[in-house]
Amino acid sequence: MSAAPSPGSSAARDVPVDPNALAAAVWPAGAHRDGAGELVLGGVAATELAARFGTPLYVMDESEVREHARRARAAFETAAAAHGTAARVYYAGKAFLSTEIVRWVTAEGLGVDVASGGELAIAIAGGADAAALGFHGNNKSVAELERALDLGVGSIVVDSHIEIERLAALTARADAGHTGPQTVFVRVNSGVHAETHSFLATAHEDQKFGFALHDAPAAVARIREIPGLRFGGLHSHIGSQIFGVAGFREAAARLIDLHAALLEGGEVPALNLGGGFGIAYTEADEPTDIADLAAAIVGAVAEECAARGVPVPRLAFEPGRSIVGQAGVTLYEVGTVKPVHLESGVDRLYVSVDGGMSDNARTALYGAQYSARLASRTSTAVAALSRVVGKHCEAGDIVVDLEYLPRDVAPGDLLAVPATGAYCYSLASNYNAVPRPPVVAVRDGEARLIVRGENVDDLLARDVGAAPRPADASTKGPHA
């Protein structure tokens, strides 16, 4: 079992004046408490949601997702227009992808980027226009690339010389079903390190994604030689959960240097600067507003282009977390509460819930910080130092490392953890054979299931040894 984090790992969080209050930056805009003190999401009470769908339960506020999608699109389009160019916004599907999410973001004018054949299938099943899809991934299989070509995916972001040659062979086949050359972007490691967990920083040299700056020109030259491919431009992604614009400014400077050099050999139509824009997980977090981010990043690109005397290219961005993160809330039921006296002399409540690292792996993976509130009631009890933990056989199975909950939190209470719309459902597992929770959408006082939860029968259905054997199974096969 893994070791537990240090008791003082996030002790900087202040004791709240009111442990029932909902911080506006963390919760969906429509979240509030009703007259009885119960948490209401999308117009639906938490106890009603738990009674209908069970716990743990992922709750997604549809209006919140749509609003963030609209704001992101408007911010980048407006910023780009101010500098005489255009911008396209793609939703980064890895944050959380389902057919319903696809319908929401595409209805608001966003494209979708996917990173696997499965995500591609979900995007298409959700009604996305293949021409508005971007396909990422450092190890796309031949079958995945064939499917993307057959569907007419708008752009493929190439990550290695091997992938370029795979595409060259596929587009040259006589039986290829696609028409016209396939647009490809070259992913470049700018060398800019995002100020985030090392596992989330994706633009430094010593990692699996993309081409180093000095290797990218050879990749572009090879693409330009292949009749079945069209060079669409450069792509960069410096990491995730980033606050501020300094990293994006530096990345833009390095990429525009490369962009200007590549113009000597032909057209470089676009620059995709990825996403990674941070959100607030606790009251202490202060992410940059999306409109300010867009203006600063696009402005930095325009400045770098002007300094080199080149036109500003078309731009693209790929927000994911900032579209769905704040829209998601996970509901749990409290199972046990245990006070623990620490060597420092401090007492901590360990509040165990009916989920854990199987539905939210981020705390264990990255040391991510979250907040929590009682959802089924309010309390006048004093705030107590608390740690919300799961039911898994790991000391590191922590949902919320440090929070101050009312001291009278008790078995049967509903607990809500906000800002769980991104990278919780998509990283969910069946650790300890715990079924993955359902996902419910709420809007205007109505709730509907958008992803069915699993049960133990689902787990056993995939276990070949648990399935009934055919009557004649003992007489067939080489090992009968």
Side-chain angles (χ1 to χ4, degrees):
M1 296 184 184
S2 60
S6 165
S9 60
S10 56
R13 192 176 304 180
D14 295 332
V15 180
V17 175
D18 179 5
N20 302 295
L22 308 177
V26 179
W27 296 81
H32 66 278
R33 293 191 183 276
D34 62 17
E38 186 172 345
L39 177 66
V40 177
L41 300 169
V44 186
T47 53
E48 179 184 340
L49 291 168
R52 286 182 59 188
F53 303 104
T55 56
L57 179 66
Y58 297 119
V59 183
M60 294 295 296
D61 188 318
E62 178 181 349
S63 296
E64 187 83 2
V65 173
R66 288 177 176 271
E67 173 62 19
H68 283 281
R70 283 193 294 269
R71 291 189 66 229
R73 179 185 174 192
F76 285 107
E77 289 182 348
T78 299
H83 294 282
T85 190
R88 183 69 191 269
V89 178
Y90 294 82
Y91 168 64
K94 61 183 180 176
F96 174 27
L97 200 65
S98 72
T99 56
E100 194 72 4
I101 295 291
V102 170
R103 293 183 185 106
W104 299 349
V105 297
T106 55
E108 301 302 335
L110 272 57
V112 180
D113 86 54
V114 299
S116 72
E119 289 186 354
L120 177 59
I122 292 171
I124 295 298
D129 178 3
L133 299 181
F135 195 4
H136 286 265
N138 66 297
N139 186 26
K140 307 177 197 71
S141 69
V142 171
E144 287 175 324
L145 291 172
E146 284 181 316
R147 181 61 174 156
L149 291 169
D150 289 343
L151 289 169
V153 163
S155 62
I156 296 175
V157 181
V158 295
D159 211 86
S160 67
H161 288 288
I162 289 175
E163 186 175 9
I164 294 172
E165 296 309 320
R166 285 176 179 168
L167 285 168
L170 289 170
T171 55
R173 280 182 7 189
D175 63 343
H178 62 281
T179 58
Q182 171 64 52
T183 298
V184 296
F185 280 69
V186 171
R187 180 159 179 169
V188 178
N189 297 329
S190 65
V192 176
H193 296 246
E195 296 178 359
T196 183
H197 192 285
S198 60
F199 292 171
L200 302 178
T202 57
H204 55 81
E205 296 86 349
D206 189 13
Q207 50 93 25
K208 69 179 186 176
F209 294 110
F211 294 88
L213 281 166
H214 62 270
D215 290 332
V220 174
R222 175 59 180 140
I223 290 166
R224 285 171 167 166
E225 295 174 347
I226 300 169
L229 300 182
R230 176 193 297 117
F231 176 53
L234 301 175
H235 180 284
S236 174
H237 182 69
I238 66 172
S240 296
Q241 187 53 8
I242 303 166
F243 290 3
V245 299
F248 292 105
R249 283 182 175 275
E250 180 60 28
R254 300 184 189 189
L255 289 165
I256 295 301
D257 264 343
L258 176 59
H259 174 94
L262 292 173
L263 284 170
E264 297 178 7
E267 186 182 17
V268 187
L271 173 63
N272 188 325
L273 286 169
F277 315 126
I279 67 169
Y281 284 99
T282 74
E283 291 182 67
D285 293 331
E286 297 181 355
T288 308
D289 180 77
I290 192 66
D292 295 335
L293 266 175
I297 296 171
V298 175
V301 171
E303 289 172 11
E304 298 297 335
C305 287
R308 292 160 182 80
V310 300
V312 181
R314 296 197 311 273
L315 300 172
F317 300 90
E318 298 167 347
R321 183 195 318 266
S322 60
I323 303 297
V324 296
Q326 192 176 347
V329 177
T330 306
L331 296 179
Y332 301 98
E333 183 175 323
V334 175
T336 65
V337 179
K338 179 170 62 176
V340 174
H341 186 71
L342 308 180
E343 291 182 358
S344 63
V346 175
D347 290 329
R348 187 198 302 277
L349 288 181
Y350 272 76
V351 181
S352 296
V353 296
D354 53 355
M357 64 191 301
S358 60
D359 59 74
N360 188 347
R362 293 188 68 256
T363 307
L365 278 176
Y366 313 129
Q369 298 297 321
Y370 285 89
S371 53
R373 288 291 183 264
L374 284 176
S376 47
R377 63 184 178 93
T378 54
S379 171
T380 59
V382 297
L385 177 66
S386 305
R387 177 170 285 164
V388 181
V389 296
K391 61 185 294 179
H392 299 286
C393 194
E394 293 282 341
D397 176 27
I398 296 170
V399 180
V400 182
D401 182 40
L402 186 152
E403 183 56 281
Y404 290 90
L405 294 171
R407 187 174 295 278
D408 64 352
V409 58
D413 280 333
L414 287 183
L415 203 66
V417 176
T420 55
Y423 301 105
C424 290
Y425 168 82
S426 56
L427 286 171
S429 74
N430 291 130
Y431 183 47
N432 287 153
V434 173
R436 287 174 292 186
V439 185
V440 170
V442 291
R443 184 180 184 182
D444 298 332
E446 297 184 357
R448 67 185 190 284
L449 189 69
I450 61 172
V451 179
R452 181 179 66 82
E454 295 174 326
N455 55 39
V456 174
D457 288 342
D458 292 317
L459 304 184
L460 290 173
R462 297 176 59 243
D463 188 326
V464 176
R469 301 182 70 191
D472 60 346
S474 61
T475 64
K476 292 184 177 180
H479 304 295

